[in-house]
Amino acid sequence: TDIRKILEERILVIDGAMGTMIQRYKLEEKDYRGDRFKDWKSDLKGNNDLLVLTQPKIIRDIHKEYLAAGADIIETNTFNAQKISLADYHMEELAYEMNVAAAKVAKEAVKEFNSPTPRFVAGAVGPTNRTLSLSPNVNDPGYRAVNWDQVVEAYTEQVRGLMDGGVDLFLVETIFDTLNAKAALFAIQTYCEKINKKMPVMVSGTITDASGRILSGQTTEAFLNSVSHVDLLSV
């Protein structure tokens, strides 16, 4: 794609963490709720992805800080914006809306910084708060909190929302379980094929300790081999 050609020809700087930037605002429960969710049945403080709906200006301002500092790529505020993670707040039904809104907020921020060189929005696809590879029950190694189809379905909805919101590329990020990463990549590939559109894809994994392995046990080389079937922009 044209975007991929531009990305490959330049040395690019991506933004930094969103969560720690949000922490600086010292938001309270009422700030997360806003007017729309003031009567929500569960606590919402800590649901950072919700802020694209209740405090979009804060998220937009954080994006602008990174752009002003020189970021060429900013990530959408969607680390947990899929139905599996949002179930913690009983907000599964808001997943698609959150992703559309997050992408639009990021694109609005980029508009002011697109000259002289273009800036880009990466749709952030986090690892979910469930793992496909590891059993959460030591007494039943075969038990899994989620299955492949459920994870792919959740990711597909997120990908659709980010695409409809206008992201330029995808970042499957902070991966601790390769199987979750493969589900995300599968969702991106399948949905892009469905709508006949190619998108650049980046991946970031998380090395959890000095052993040089991700949480599900793979070395960096094994992780790379596991995702190299996809034509990735970067790892």
Side-chain angles (χ1 to χ4, degrees), residues 35-53:
D35 290 333
R36 179 175 170 185
F37 302 104
K38 65 179 187 293
D39 298 321
W40 198 255
K41 58 190 172 185
S42 60
D43 289 346
L44 297 177
K45 186 178 178 181
N47 185 0
N48 288 344
D49 306 80
L50 178 62
L51 296 173
V52 297
L53 301 179

Side-chain angles (χ1 to χ4, degrees), residues 7 20 93 105 109 173 196 225 233:
L7 292 169
T20 46
E93 299 304 316
V105 165
E173 64 150 316
N196 195 28
N225 287 336
L233 177 69

Side-chain angles (χ1 to χ4, degrees), residues 24-147:
R24 297 188 313 168
Y25 286 85
K26 295 180 167 49
L27 301 177
E28 299 297 333
E29 180 70 28
K30 62 180 174 55
D31 301 312
Y32 279 87
R33 288 176 177 265
D35 290 333
R36 179 175 170 185
F37 302 104
K38 65 179 187 293
D39 298 321
W40 198 255
K41 58 190 172 185
S42 60
D43 289 346
L44 297 177
K45 186 178 178 181
N47 185 0
N48 288 344
D49 306 80
L50 178 62
L51 296 173
V52 297
L53 301 179
T54 56
Q55 303 289 342
K57 184 182 184 301
I58 288 176
I59 303 303
R60 193 181 301 111
D61 287 348
I62 291 171
H63 286 321
K64 287 181 181 179
E65 283 191 73
Y66 277 124
L67 290 162
D72 300 290
I73 301 171
I74 57 169
E75 305 161 60
T76 55
N77 180 41
T78 50
F79 184 77
N80 284 309
Q82 27 63 32
K83 64 174 67 174
I84 292 170
S85 297
L86 288 173
D88 287 353
Y89 300 96
H90 309 287
M91 288 191 152
E92 299 96 317
E93 299 304 316
L94 292 168
Y96 172 79
E97 181 185 353
M98 274 188 201
N99 283 282
V100 174
K104 287 182 175 177
V105 165
K107 292 291 281 188
E108 286 165 12
V110 161
K111 272 181 193 172
E112 296 178 33
F113 294 86
N114 254 338
S115 181
T117 55
R119 311 290 184 97
F120 304 97
V121 173
V125 179
T128 84
N129 56 2
R130 301 287 185 269
T131 168
L132 280 168
S133 295
L134 306 173
S135 172
N137 184 351
V138 293
N139 297 314
D140 184 1
Y143 172 76
R144 296 293 182 272
V146 285
N147 63 41

Side-chain angles (χ1 to χ4, degrees), residues 143-165:
Y143 172 76
R144 296 293 182 272
V146 285
N147 63 41
W148 169 267
D149 290 342
Q150 289 170 324
V151 175
V152 169
E153 181 189 358
Y155 276 140
T156 301
E157 182 180 38
Q158 180 173 28
V159 167
R160 182 168 62 90
L162 290 168
M163 291 278 278
D164 289 351

